[in-house]
Amino acid sequence: MIDSNTMLANLSVVLKRPKYAENIGAAARMCFNMGISGLILVREEKPNHEDMAKMATHKAVHLIDNMERYDRLEDALAPFSIVVGTTARLGRKRTVERPPRDIIEDILPLLAHNKIAFLFGPEDRGLTNDDLKYCQYTSCIPTAAFASLNLAQAVAIHCYELYYAIVEQSREEPAEPEYASTFQLEGMYRHVQEALLKIDFLDEKSQHYWMRNIRQFLGRVRLSSKEANIIRGICRQFLWYQTTKKIKSTREFDPP
Amino acid sequence: MIDSNTMLANLSVVLKRPKYAENIGAAARMCFNMGISGLILVREEKPNHEDMAKMATHKAVHLIDNMERYDRLEDALAPFSIVVGTTARLGRKRTVERPPRDIIEDILPLLAHNKIAFLFGPEDRGLTNDDLKYCQYTSCIPTAAFASLNLAQAVAIHCYELYYAIVEQSREEPAEPEYASTFQLEGMYRHVQEALLKIDFLDEKSQHYWMRNIRQFLGRVRLSSKEANIIRGICRQFLWYQTTKKIKSTREFDPP
């Protein structure tokens, strides 16, 4: 298995002529959060550093400082074997649009040995047909009707989806708690039954019916060993309390 | 199947004491983008409407205007059967943290008949242990080391994951293009072969070897009927051009 860092190093976010420097900063922060360090700008003018840095925060400002800048999109995309264009849903069917998750599933195996770019258009107009001709994939985030994600949100979701797919494939199953064994559970149920009989919640006749219900409910919880012990502890304490209280209260009414 | 709108209507985003009104606005915009209309605030002071509205944009300002506000978290959470707390990864293992996608998979079937809340803590400190006691689930967005998502980004990703899961379960498979049939493909390959023989790219001896390679490459593309026709069109045109050019050029060199 290829390690996650190699895969993340092969992915870059390319921003084509973003209008607002703040959005470049916000994109940098999200890239950083998701382990992506390649941020590339296509824009004739240098954006205001302070506005970018404010949104990037000190944690991601190095992405801004190391950012490559090009005048022409074609030059920015030159090193990439695969380019994923991103679009808002606009009704006009220019190309086959798929959700980022689907596309990432396709490109993930390629990321070990290929440089891949996520390409985002300007805030107001998005990518043109001419931009999309460089793209092997067109990604569209599903949204509710009339919705529009802003640039930073679109970058955020693409970076998150990529990072998630990468960690997911190398994720170890979370350590399952040690579930209570039948032996432990039966000991617990005997304790519960004893306590419920004591307080007359159960009687000899109905006890099997109610215990079956309680077993159903507790069975659904899938108790861990520790939790089964907690329940036993409560029953034990309760029974002890009942006994000593009874003795005490009996004594109270005892003649001195 | 329960319709998506019912499910979305049963989900609310609860923000506990967010410091910045802008973040409330950004959360509103993302809720709107993902079809969620329930936005609830836990905060003694009313936040500045203008600061919220600026980030919500006119599209989502109605979510701000209809937002319920409570002083106490317990009151805000009262109507919900399931509360999903959200935390940043802090190292201290307070509870079983799972990625939002996993949790949403669990709660999705419940969303048809239960009110569910996504609960977010303040920007600086997040949810306390006391807040988390109301939560049946604790969600944590996977991020790279040292990363920290801001509140608006965390809301964005949770809303997106929920919306995606809902549309995903009702998604129709995208209309697959009509792929070229064997009949169409064989017609195309004959045309290609003829053209390549013409330009002496292929000769009698090597033609099967090279055509096998071309077939492998074109086979991997999975051509649609339309694309196969385009390739045939090019070959046909090329052959026609060759013929007429030859005639012309032959004529040119013909004695007048």
Side-chain angles (χ1 to χ4, degrees):
Chain A
M1 179 167 309
I2 309 294
D3 81 306
S4 317
N5 291 337
T6 309
M7 296 175 77
L8 288 166
N10 275 339
L11 192 118
S12 294
V13 165
V14 179
L15 305 177
K16 189 205 156 197
R17 299 196 215 295
K19 211 167 150 188
Y20 302 106
E22 288 84 352
N23 283 336
I24 305 171
R29 178 169 176 179
M30 198 63 195
C31 285
F32 174 76
N33 283 344
M34 297 300 161
I36 295 163
S37 56
L39 183 61
I40 295 173
L41 189 61
V42 181
R43 200 178 195 253
E44 273 96 9
E45 324 79 46
K46 230 176 162 162
N48 182 289
H49 191 274
E50 199 183 327
D51 290 345
M52 289 192 290
K54 189 179 65 191
M55 291 300 286
T57 78
H58 69 280
K59 286 188 170 184
V61 78
H62 60 283
L63 266 77
I64 297 290
D65 297 334
N66 299 330
M67 183 168 62
E68 294 171 36
R69 187 166 59 86
Y70 296 89
D71 287 354
R72 294 173 59 233
L73 180 61
E74 193 172 330
D75 297 333
L77 295 178
F80 297 98
S81 319
I82 293 157
V83 180
V84 180
T86 60
T87 65
R89 202 160 32 181
L90 290 173
R92 42 184 170 131
K93 273 265 177 198
R94 300 183 291 182
T95 167
V96 181
E97 294 168 357
R98 293 164 63 200
R101 195 172 301 172
D102 285 14
I103 293 174
I104 287 167
E105 199 184 311
D106 276 16
I107 64 173
L108 208 62
L110 313 175
L111 200 49
H113 302 292
N114 293 279
K115 284 176 75 66
I116 300 183
F118 285 161
L119 172 62
F120 298 86
E123 291 90 341
D124 46 357
R125 323 209 52 179
L127 297 173
T128 65
N129 285 342
D130 201 54
D131 301 333
L132 287 174
K133 79 174 181 216
Y134 297 110
C135 304
Q136 289 80 14
Y137 294 92
T138 310
S139 167
C140 180
I141 297 170
T143 55
F146 312 115
S148 65
L149 289 175
N150 69 25
L151 176 59
Q153 287 170 342
V155 172
I157 284 171
H158 279 86
C159 293
Y160 161 73
E161 282 283 7
L162 179 86
Y163 184 77
Y164 193 85
I166 290 176
V167 296
E168 184 68 6
Q169 71 162 16
S170 58
R171 175 154 74 133
E172 291 172 31
E173 284 301 307
E176 286 274 347
E178 190 200 330
Y179 289 115
S181 66
T182 303
F183 178 78
Q184 292 170 313
L185 286 173
E186 290 309 311
M188 179 193 78
Y189 284 130
R190 272 193 302 276
H191 245 122
V192 169
Q193 191 164 2
E194 195 185 339
L196 296 180
L197 280 165
K198 181 76 85 192
I199 57 167
D200 293 332
F201 178 85
L202 298 179
D203 59 30
E204 279 301 323
K205 226 178 86 192
S206 69
Q207 63 176 312
H208 298 298
Y209 175 78
W210 290 112
M211 279 307 293
R212 210 162 44 239
N213 276 275
I214 289 167
R215 276 167 177 274
Q216 260 175 24
F217 142 64
L218 283 177
R220 222 163 53 230
V221 182
R222 262 229 258 170
L223 294 168
S224 68
S225 304
K226 192 179 157 194
E227 288 161 341
N229 279 332
I230 291 172
I231 293 177
R232 291 193 82 162
I234 293 169
C235 294
R236 198 180 299 116
Q237 182 65 17
F238 170 78
L239 289 166
W240 174 84
Y241 178 79
Q242 283 293 311
T243 317
T244 52
K245 207 189 147 202
K246 212 166 199 167
I247 294 166
K248 246 169 90 191
S249 62
T250 316
R251 274 201 193 129
E252 270 162 23
F253 290 91
D254 269 357
Chain B
M1 179 167 307
I2 309 294
D3 83 305
S4 317
N5 291 338
T6 309
M7 296 176 77
L8 289 166
N10 275 339
L11 192 118
S12 295
V13 166
V14 179
L15 304 177
K16 190 205 156 196
R17 300 196 213 298
K19 212 167 148 187
Y20 302 107
E22 288 84 352
N23 283 336
I24 305 171
R29 177 168 176 180
M30 197 63 195
C31 285
F32 173 77
N33 283 343
M34 297 301 161
I36 295 165
S37 56
L39 184 61
I40 296 174
L41 189 62
V42 180
R43 200 177 194 252
E44 274 96 7
E45 324 77 48
K46 232 174 158 164
N48 181 290
H49 189 276
E50 199 184 327
D51 291 344
M52 290 192 291
K54 190 180 64 192
M55 292 300 287
T57 78
H58 70 279
K59 286 190 171 183
V61 77
H62 60 285
L63 266 78
I64 297 289
D65 297 332
N66 298 329
M67 183 168 62
E68 295 172 34
R69 186 166 60 85
Y70 297 90
D71 287 353
R72 296 173 58 233
L73 180 60
E74 194 172 331
D75 296 335
L77 295 178
F80 297 99
S81 318
I82 293 157
V83 180
V84 180
T86 61
T87 66
R89 200 160 34 180
L90 291 173
R92 43 182 170 132
K93 271 266 176 197
R94 301 183 289 182
T95 167
V96 182
E97 293 168 358
R98 293 164 63 202
R101 195 173 300 172
D102 285 14
I103 293 174
I104 287 165
E105 200 183 312
D106 276 16
I107 64 174
L108 208 63
L110 312 175
L111 200 49
H113 301 293
N114 293 280
K115 283 176 75 66
I116 300 184
F118 285 161
L119 173 62
F120 298 87
E123 291 90 343
D124 46 356
R125 325 208 52 180
L127 296 174
T128 65
N129 285 342
D130 202 53
D131 301 335
L132 287 174
K133 79 174 183 220
Y134 298 110
C135 304
Q136 288 80 15
Y137 294 93
T138 310
S139 166
C140 179
I141 297 170
T143 56
F146 313 115
S148 66
L149 289 174
N150 70 24
L151 176 58
Q153 286 170 343
V155 172
I157 285 172
H158 279 85
C159 293
Y160 161 73
E161 282 283 5
L162 180 87
Y163 184 78
Y164 193 84
I166 290 175
V167 296
E168 185 67 8
Q169 70 163 14
S170 58
R171 174 152 76 132
E172 289 171 33
E173 284 301 308
E176 288 272 348
E178 191 200 330
Y179 289 115
S181 66
T182 303
F183 176 78
Q184 291 171 313
L185 286 173
E186 290 308 311
M188 178 192 79
Y189 285 130
R190 272 194 302 274
H191 245 120
V192 169
Q193 191 164 3
E194 195 184 339
L196 296 179
L197 280 165
K198 181 76 80 189
I199 57 167
D200 292 333
F201 178 85
L202 298 179
D203 59 32
E204 279 300 323
K205 225 177 84 192
S206 70
Q207 63 176 312
H208 298 298
Y209 174 79
W210 290 112
M211 278 309 291
R212 208 160 46 237
N213 278 274
I214 289 168
R215 276 167 177 272
Q216 260 174 24
F217 142 63
L218 283 176
R220 223 163 51 230
V221 182
R222 262 228 259 170
L223 293 168
S224 68
S225 304
K226 192 180 157 193
E227 289 160 341
N229 279 334
I230 292 172
I231 293 176
R232 290 193 83 161
I234 293 169
C235 295
R236 198 180 302 118
Q237 182 64 17
F238 170 79
L239 290 166
W240 172 84
Y241 179 79
Q242 284 292 313
T243 317
T244 53
K245 206 187 148 204
K246 211 164 199 168
I247 294 165
K248 246 168 84 193
S249 63
T250 316
R251 273 197 194 134
E252 273 161 20
F253 290 92
D254 269 359

